[in-house]
Amino acid sequence: MSAESVRVGVIGCGYWGPNLVRNFSALRESRMIAVADMDEARLKHVADLFPAVRGTRNAEDLLADDGIDAVAIATPVATHFDLARRALERGKHVWVEKPLTRSVKEAASLVALAGKHRRVLMVDHTYLYSAPV
């Protein structure tokens, strides 16, 4: 995988997910492949904005897809650990919206798993790259 060809899937198309799809779509270094959300209306919303991006109601479809190199997780925090763990175990790089997990123990487990599989694990903060911050 080269820096120019990171194929991305976004899990969670609620409030923040469409922003992630927009930003990953705009980057030369990534290619948006698919989104997953249990809400059909949210999938339709993303499909209307980004017709080339495949949608599914099952996050497992993205995790099992060998054509996806990295997943961004923008779901309720209670789901972060399990989704990130499963993605790392399948060899995906993982970007997670804040907070990373519900506990330090879960976070440490993900860090160790990312190291074991030699994958990037990143937690986002909305203003991480904002000049004032």
Side-chain angles (χ1 to χ4, degrees):
M1 170 184 71
S2 68
E4 294 84 26
S5 64
V6 178
R7 299 165 298 179
V8 179
V10 172
I11 301 173
C13 298
Y15 175 75
W16 203 246
N19 296 318
L20 299 176
V21 175
R22 182 190 73 235
N23 287 312
F24 283 119
S25 294
L27 291 173
R28 287 189 325 250
E29 297 85 3
S30 68
R31 194 169 95 219
M32 269 304 311
I33 301 297
V35 296
D37 197 285
M38 296 186 317
D39 185 337
E40 194 67 42
R42 295 309 298 166
L43 289 174
K44 182 179 179 337
H45 173 71
V46 172
D48 289 345
L49 296 172
F50 304 95
V53 176
R54 184 176 81 242
T56 179
R57 293 188 67 206
N58 189 347
E60 186 63 30
D61 294 341
L62 273 62
L63 299 177
D65 188 337
D66 291 335
I68 294 176
D69 304 308
V71 294
I73 300 170
T75 58
V77 68
T79 65
H80 288 183
F81 175 74
D82 185 56
L83 288 168
R85 178 188 55 78
R86 290 169 36 215
L88 290 166
E89 288 173 345
R90 292 188 178 179
K92 311 271 187 236
H93 299 286
V94 178
W95 180 101
V96 183
E97 185 55 60
K98 67 175 179 355
L100 177 60
T101 61
R102 293 180 292 182
S103 72
V104 172
K105 181 179 178 181
E106 287 179 344
S109 175
L110 291 180
V111 169
L113 193 58
K116 175 182 174 185
H117 290 283
R118 300 181 55 158
R119 292 295 176 256
V120 173
L121 171 66
M122 178 181 171
V123 63
D124 180 53
H125 187 280
T126 306
Y127 299 106
L128 181 64
Y129 298 107
S130 174
V133 173

